Amino acid sequence: MGRVGVVRPRRATPAVVVLLALAACMGAAASGAAAAARPDARVHEQRNGARQALRLRLGGGERRSAKVCGRTRKLTQVGRGGKVRAVAAAAGQSGKSKLRLVVRRCLPAAGRLGPARLLGRRTVGARPERFKRRVPAVAAGDYAVELRLARRGRRRLRRVAYLRVTETAAPEQPGGVADIPVRFAVKNQNGSALPCQSDGADYTVAGRLVAPRSLLRASSRAAVLHLHEFGFGRFFWQFPSETYDYAHHQALAGHASVVLDRLGYDESSHPPGDGTCVGSQADIAHQIVLQLRAGSYSTVGDQPVSFKRIALAGHSGGGAISELEAYSFGDIDALILFAYADSNFTNPSIQAANDQGFRCLTSPEEAEPGGPGGYAYFGSSPEEWRGFMFTSAEPAVAAAAAALRNRDPCGDTNSFTPTVVSNNQHGGEIRVPALLLYGTSDAIYQQPQAGEAQRDLLSGSPDVTLHFFEGTGHALTLERSAPQMRAVVSNWLGRHGL
């Protein structure tokens, strides 16, 4: 009888046992490393759920992709003054959590953000919480709108939406901005408080009415009449640059501006240079104020409208004219002086004015090729003029302005000193609210002494507001602080019904 065989499982050799044990250890180590490299699945799901329960959306404007805050991202773009709302929501939080909505400006350095400005705050729990806040869009730039959720003892969560505010008109503004050519028929006479000679002839003063279309259709309208400085023209208020077009930005903010080439400048008539003076310029401003109130001026392409309330604004030499007009005729509702005071001139500016007066006596020039004579530049060269006018302006802006600068009528420049004397005697007779604006680095004036003295001079005004702009020069609308200056003016006009 043969043997009966029994089949037994084969025993592993010691070498196989060692290899299997080594593999098991390696697998365990790999699993441990993977576990260390990522959160526990439940923790990951909890965080992801918390993020999904935190939502932020910007309403209004155009959605697009662009480089913002150092990286290419999705953003919402609106024009300056546009309406933007942040819609924030949070839900499913255990216990009480703090929810904050803030806005931060993207600084020039890539990826850096400025200080946080609080837009809203909520305390949220398990029940869904939702709130809306208006996001300010008053200054051009890039912004990060952050929704922050702070949970006690747990990691803070956030959502970020990006906003770009451009200098263009906000798309939702009904009707947009009107830019209407206007003409005023004036007589070069002098009925002001300053005795000086003018030729009494009839001339035309050209300008533009820049305003929101909706305002021109309103039943009660207000406007600001702007007079430029010596050497400038209407381009000071309506510069050929989107960033520095003062009148356009004021229209976006809801204000009507009448910006002129004064008599003797650019598109307006050019009398003989000794045929006009600061007193007649003030009288002409008075005539234009009356025509604006009556709607009796002429326009191109639009019907003229009348204005119930009128403010008079003047830059430097235009400010001297505005002040003289205010106490001579008493026909305006408010006065704004851009970089003008009746005292504390710097010695270099006094010398430059004397040099201009000397050239008027010895070698006056034509206003323009083939035009009447009796005109002279302020500043012996474009470079000297730029040095007086600009401190912080972009070089390209200063160069473009210098290329546009005008010669001044000698009758105006020769009557400027008597105007300063008259203004010091009668400035206290001005009875309307006044806004005074100055740069602390103005080469024409010693600041802050000049601004403070001018505030004290207007002692008869019921409301004098004095504002300085740090590091800013004489040409306020063209310096880098122009957006901040425009905001100050707009807010002041709004408070005074203008």
Side-chain angles (χ1 to χ4, degrees), residues 251-332:
L252 292 179
H255 310 292
S257 299
V258 179
V259 291
L260 304 175
D261 290 314
R262 292 197 288 109
L263 186 67
Y265 295 85
D266 289 333
E267 294 183 13
S268 294
S269 301
H270 292 77
D274 58 358
T276 183
C277 67
V278 175
S280 66
Q281 292 279 7
D283 194 304
I284 288 169
H286 166 61
Q287 295 173 50
I288 293 173
V289 167
L290 296 180
Q291 292 180 40
L292 288 171
R293 292 193 184 277
S296 58
Y297 54 95
S298 62
T299 63
V300 177
D302 286 82
Q303 291 295 318
V305 298
S306 59
F307 295 92
K308 184 177 181 180
R309 290 175 56 79
I310 296 176
L312 185 57
H315 174 230
S316 198
I321 297 168
S322 299
E323 191 179 343
L324 175 59
E325 197 279 346
Y327 63 75
S328 294
F329 301 102
D331 59 350
I332 59 173

Side-chain angles (χ1 to χ4, degrees), residues 7 9 20 32 88 90 94 98 100 155 175 203 231 233 279 316 321 381 400-401 408 420 431 442 460 467 484:
V7 179
L20 290 174
S94 59
K98 298 292 185 181
R100 288 181 174 85
R155 182 180 177 184
Y203 294 105
S316 198
I321 297 168
S381 67
D408 303 305
V420 173
R431 306 300 184 196
D442 191 332
H467 199 100
Q484 291 74 34

